[in-house]
Amino acid sequence: MEHEEAAARAGVVVRELCEIGEFEQVYRLFDEIWRPGPTNVPATVELMVEFAHTGNYVAGAYAGDELVGASVGFRAAGRALHSHVTGAVVGRGIGYALKAHQKWWCLERGLERITWTFDPLVRRNAYFNLVKLGARPEEYLPDFYGVMADAINEGDESDRLMAVWHLDEDTGADHDPREAAVRLWEGPNGEPVLEPDISPQPALEPGISPQSRTQLVGTPSDIERLRRDNAYAARAWRRAMREALGGAMAAGGLVVGFTTRGEYVVSIT
């Protein structure tokens, strides 16, 4: 089965959790990943106990006896699971193994969709969600969580995209349209360049029409580094993304893919 194959490739065993000691392991793992403040814990032990006891999703990925990834979610309206938080050791395929297990868990219970939020500025997460999994952002949520006091998000507003993964659809793979108008891209010093007139980026191939009904909204190559090294540029990216992607989606634009260059592909209706 797909979830078992994904776990084997990652060298882990993914299973549901039910014991206090396991939930404490998850709490410690999430603390190592996010380094949250005391009022910004991703998931408390008590919350995980309640979720697991009431038929929701709490799972961990183990490499031997070591917990290397975990995911916590709850059932939502419309035959959906909302994936509240997922964290894993980076670069080993553990995140994909957790998502594959989550998908299998939902299908076994007759659920049709998995939803979650992610920061639209984090390029690797966007690529993973849209290309590897085939989820699609369906809503732009400005400053959704308010101030977040952790090592990854501190100092930035918490804009998020609501991703929806329709489990019966195969919509993965990168999407690189031949004709598109570039709305936002990364400048030579990592700064955002926002094109108000939606004209194409000069570096693109000749023949791309400014009147294209498809827009490309770029992302910074490393927003987390930018937050540490250039807070002004990071804040500028937040504002530019909110205007470009948030504005397009609010006006009815649909995110239909993500390019290998790190751009959201938005179809303007």
Side-chain angles (χ1 to χ4, degrees):
M1 301 178 72
E2 180 186 1
H3 71 286
E4 294 173 338
E5 294 172 356
R9 287 194 299 270
V12 297
V13 173
V14 182
R15 58 178 175 82
E16 288 187 75
L17 307 180
C18 59
E19 302 290 340
I20 290 290
E22 296 170 334
F23 302 140
E24 290 172 343
Q25 287 180 313
V26 174
Y27 184 92
R28 289 193 293 270
L29 176 67
F30 287 169
D31 185 72
E32 291 171 3
I33 293 172
W34 280 283
R35 299 293 181 188
T39 62
N40 198 48
V41 177
T44 65
V45 171
E46 293 81 4
L47 181 68
M48 288 184 273
V49 169
E50 293 290 347
F51 276 10
H53 185 70
T54 54
N56 293 289
Y57 184 82
V58 185
Y62 283 88
D65 294 330
E66 181 186 5
L67 182 73
V68 292
S71 185
V72 179
F74 53 88
R75 293 177 186 250
R79 293 191 178 183
L81 176 79
H82 183 74
S83 185
H84 172 60
V85 58
T86 299
V89 174
V90 176
R92 291 170 48 181
I94 299 165
Y96 185 83
L98 282 164
K99 283 297 182 184
H101 182 272
Q102 202 174 68
K103 177 180 178 179
W104 167 81
W105 187 92
C106 287
L107 292 174
E108 286 287 298
R109 289 157 179 79
L111 303 184
E112 300 172 349
R113 298 175 297 122
I114 301 175
T115 65
W116 63 93
T117 62
F118 70 96
D119 187 340
L121 293 177
V122 182
R123 181 181 293 182
R124 68 177 184 278
N125 286 353
Y127 184 87
F128 178 81
N129 293 332
L130 276 67
V131 178
K132 294 200 69 174
L133 297 180
R136 289 291 176 264
E138 295 191 0
E139 190 176 4
Y140 191 98
L141 305 165
D143 204 20
F144 188 55
Y145 296 110
V147 176
M148 299 183 70
D150 62 55
I152 295 176
N153 298 288
E154 189 170 11
D156 194 5
E157 292 178 288
S158 58
D159 289 23
R160 293 294 182 266
L161 286 172
M162 179 65 75
V164 181
W165 189 13
H166 295 275
L167 303 180
D168 59 348
E169 297 179 7
D170 183 12
T171 55
D174 56 84
H175 184 68
D176 200 351
R178 192 174 64 85
E179 290 194 0
V182 179
R183 182 76 167 94
L184 176 64
W185 67 92
E186 187 172 36
N189 297 312
E191 77 280 7
V193 181
L194 181 64
E195 177 53 70
D197 297 327
I198 319 179
S199 59
Q201 182 180 358
L204 291 180
E205 297 179 8
I208 293 180
S209 169
Q211 286 75 41
S212 171
R213 301 304 292 169
T214 300
Q215 293 181 15
L216 298 180
V217 178
T219 56
S221 54
D222 188 346
I223 186 60
E224 291 161 352
R225 178 192 57 79
L226 206 59
R227 286 187 187 121
R228 294 191 302 269
D229 299 344
N230 190 340
Y232 176 83
R235 288 192 294 270
W237 265 106
R238 179 65 73 202
R239 292 190 295 269
M241 182 63 69
R242 187 181 295 175
E243 180 176 342
L245 185 59
M249 294 179 70
L254 301 176
V255 179
V256 297
F258 198 76
T259 72
T260 54
R261 297 184 300 271
E263 300 152 319
Y264 295 97
V265 182
V266 186
S267 176
I268 305 300
T269 56

